[in-house]
Amino acid sequence: MTPQTRMGGAVIRLGLALALPTAVVASIAVPDTLAQEAGTTAEERSDWQRKKCDVYARALTEILDHVGREGVSDRFLAQNQAFIDSGCLADVDACPETDDDVEVANGLTIATMNAGAASSFSPFRCRG
């Protein structure tokens, strides 16, 4: 088994571990919060928008604490931080460029989807 394979499995397991407790909360909270209007600024965000962003930010921190930053590109980390700093509202292109970036993106996608967010919530885009 290669180091990348071991790391990939660890990220997937970590993403699942992070997401399972939030999935229960999300399944209870989503029906009430879906009725709220979505905000277009960080200050106007609905409770559901805030919750998704909190899950994303916490998952990123926990994944990086678990697997480390070695191999994760500075640009990918900066774009993810810009997304979080915007309240998870900015149209950021956090393009995973390395294998480790892809593994972090996979873990984040699993964590947020298990919390009830759509896969399109994440900023993982490679345009231009």
Side-chain angles (χ1 to χ4, degrees), residues 42-108:
E43 296 78 29
E44 297 173 342
R45 292 179 301 163
S46 69
D47 289 342
W48 178 230
Q49 286 174 302
R50 291 176 197 276
K51 187 174 294 186
K52 289 187 296 186
C53 196
D54 290 346
V55 166
Y56 188 89
R58 187 174 60 247
L60 178 61
T61 298
E62 291 181 15
I63 288 168
L64 292 174
D65 286 349
H66 183 72
V67 300
R69 294 172 184 259
E70 186 177 333
V72 180
S73 68
D74 291 338
R75 178 169 167 73
F76 183 70
L77 290 173
Q79 293 303 91
N80 275 283
Q81 192 59 53
F83 180 65
I84 292 166
D85 291 347
S86 76
C88 299
L89 297 172
D91 186 21
V92 172
D93 287 355
C95 181
E97 298 172 357
T98 69
D99 288 343
D100 294 329
D101 291 353
V102 170
E103 294 302 329
V104 171
N106 288 341
L108 288 168

